[in-house]
């Protein structure tokens, strides 16, 4: 195989140990990579810059070792860069709490199988996947470009849940920390919102709602086997939007739980038949307008509250190493 492979690692993750580094280096060299370069993320540079520099140096494979924030940043850097011989592949070694990108792609959550898959010593294939680009009125006011989103953008309850999840609790309780934070966030207000899909104007939007949460997703798989958006795929050139509402306190949230909990994929009640309603739509672009600035998160990272959000799909933006079927 020859050539250069680069590993972008988040050193703050507990699993980013010298043993893991040594094992990944050995697997890459065993897969035929002659040179292996390492780059650590920092609080200022989350992985996009490191990935872009790796491609500029000729890397044919860039592996993101960390949580969903690191994976989305590295994916963004790869999508923005093109090597002389085409684009580099993305490998993923998930060390985060929820690891939603790995779940959506069928990548093993156990470190050693994921490590071998990313390095190429386990059976794999290269799959082109989509990336979402998310802009808000707050980002535009700050002169900032759209943010990349690999898995999900959440407005309202979902963002409040992320804000309420403590880092220390995540280290001890894993993804269960989100369940604890969810219980603390059940009182999130219902937000008036207008939603336009694929070029519609907000002023003429057919869908107006009061909802606890809006999800704009590239994947619908959550921890505990929950398939919140069964039709969502990361390689279909389409984003999925879910307007989620729960009324009458705990009774409404219990109704939502009955509709989404495994083993079956989520099956939502027709409008007006339950205390919790989920309305789904699909398209290439979604624009959301809110009466007041609402909390916003992208792949588990909080952004400034926004009154207007626009998300569009960049189809096939990144080539990712995933398990080969069978």
């Amino acid at each position: 195989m020859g050539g250069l492979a680069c590993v972008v690692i988040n050193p703050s993750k507990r699993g980013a140990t010298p043993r893991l580094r040594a094992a990944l280096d050995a697997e890459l060299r065993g897969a035929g990579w002659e040179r292996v370069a390492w780059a650590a993320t920092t609080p200022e540079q989350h992985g996009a810059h490191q990935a872009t520099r790796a491609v500029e140096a000729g890397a044919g494979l860039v592996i993101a070792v960390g949580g969903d924030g690191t994976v989305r940043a590295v994916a963004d850097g790869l999508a923005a860069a093109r090597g002389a011989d085409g684009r580099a592949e993305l490998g993923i070694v998930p060390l985060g709490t929820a690891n939603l990108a790995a779940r959506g792609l069928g990548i093993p959550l156990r470190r050693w199988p994921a490590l071998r898959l990313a390095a190429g010593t386990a059976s794999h294939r290269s799959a082109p996947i989509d990336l979402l680009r998310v802009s808000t009125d707050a980002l535009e006011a700050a002169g900032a470009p759209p943010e990349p989103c690999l898995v999900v953008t959440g407005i309202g309850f979902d963002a409040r849940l992320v804000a309420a999840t403590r880092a220390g609790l995540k280290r001890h309780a894993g993804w269960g920390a989100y369940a604890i934070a969810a219980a603390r966030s059940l009182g999130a207000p219902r937000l008036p919102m207008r939603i336009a899909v694929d070029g519609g104007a907000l002023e003429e939007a057919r869908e107006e709602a009061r909802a606890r949460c809006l999800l704009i997703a590239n994947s619908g798989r959550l921890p505990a086997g929950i398939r919140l958006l069964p039709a969502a795929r990361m390689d279909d050139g389409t984003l999925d939007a879910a307007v989620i509402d729960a009324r009458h306190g705990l009774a409404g949230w219990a109704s939502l739980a009955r509709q989404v909990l495994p083993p079956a994929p989520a099956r939502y009640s027709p409008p007006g038949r339950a205390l919790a309603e989920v309305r789904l739509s699909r398209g290439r672009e979604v624009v959301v307008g809110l009466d007041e600035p609402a909390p916003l998160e992208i792949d588990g990272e909080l952004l400034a509250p926004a009154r207007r959000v626009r998300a569009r799909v960049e189809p096939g933006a990144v080539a990712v190493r995933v398990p080969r079927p069978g």
Side-chain angles (χ1 to χ4, degrees):
M1 179 179 294
L4 169 67
C6 180
V7 181
V8 179
I9 188 167
N10 184 342
S12 71
K13 295 299 181 183
R14 185 169 56 180
T17 62
R19 182 187 174 203
L20 181 140
R21 292 172 184 247
L24 182 50
D25 186 88
E27 292 290 335
L28 285 166
R29 296 186 187 280
W33 295 97
E34 294 175 348
R35 294 179 292 149
V36 179
W38 292 76
T41 65
T42 69
E44 295 76 28
Q45 295 181 345
H46 301 167
H49 175 74
Q50 293 89 333
T52 300
R53 291 291 299 272
V55 174
E56 291 172 349
L61 170 66
V62 180
I63 298 177
V65 181
D68 284 316
T70 302
V71 175
R72 84 160 174 128
V74 172
D76 180 36
L78 293 182
R82 294 292 186 269
D85 299 321
R87 59 185 178 184
E89 286 185 296
L90 170 64
I92 298 174
V93 179
L95 297 184
T97 303
N99 297 313
L100 297 182
R103 293 177 194 274
L105 293 166
I107 292 171
L109 300 183
R110 291 184 296 149
R111 290 170 195 169
W112 309 115
L115 183 150
R116 290 189 288 271
L117 175 69
T121 52
S123 178
H124 68 279
R125 64 183 180 91
S126 182
I129 65 167
D130 309 330
L131 195 64
L132 308 186
R133 298 289 179 184
V134 181
S135 60
T136 73
D137 56 330
L139 288 171
E140 292 169 359
E147 284 279 343
C149 171
L150 190 57
V151 183
V152 64
T153 294
I155 302 169
F157 169 81
D158 185 62
R160 292 177 184 275
L161 183 155
V162 170
T165 305
R166 299 173 183 171
L169 187 58
K170 287 200 291 184
R171 284 193 294 270
H172 292 289
W175 63 262
Y178 288 106
I180 296 170
R184 296 172 178 161
S185 306
L186 293 182
R190 300 174 71 215
L191 304 172
M193 59 180 69
R194 299 172 305 285
I195 303 147
V197 180
D198 286 349
L202 282 179
E203 294 74 14
E204 303 171 357
R206 294 181 179 179
E207 185 165 359
E208 296 189 15
R210 291 181 65 89
R212 303 283 182 183
C213 177
L214 172 67
L215 300 180
I216 304 171
N218 201 20
S219 172
R221 292 181 179 269
L222 301 180
I226 296 173
R227 295 180 60 186
L228 192 66
L229 299 170
R233 292 178 54 91
M234 298 179 75
D235 62 355
D236 61 0
T238 303
L239 58 77
D240 289 69
V243 178
I244 302 173
D245 194 24
R247 302 180 299 278
H248 302 293
L250 286 176
W253 290 110
S255 173
L256 180 64
R258 285 193 295 271
Q259 297 176 59
V260 305
L261 287 179
R267 298 182 64 182
Y268 296 116
S269 302
R273 300 284 185 88
L275 295 179
E277 294 183 359
V278 177
R279 283 181 278 178
L280 305 176
S281 55
R282 312 189 77 201
R284 299 288 295 271
E285 181 181 71
V286 172
V287 182
V288 183
L290 301 123
D291 290 351
E292 299 292 337
L296 176 78
E297 67 88 13
I298 297 179
D299 291 348
E301 296 190 14
L302 292 169
L303 273 66
R307 290 185 58 182
R308 184 183 179 97
V309 179
R310 180 188 301 271
R312 62 176 176 82
V313 177
E314 186 177 331
V318 187
V320 184
R321 288 190 166 183
V322 298
R324 188 179 296 277

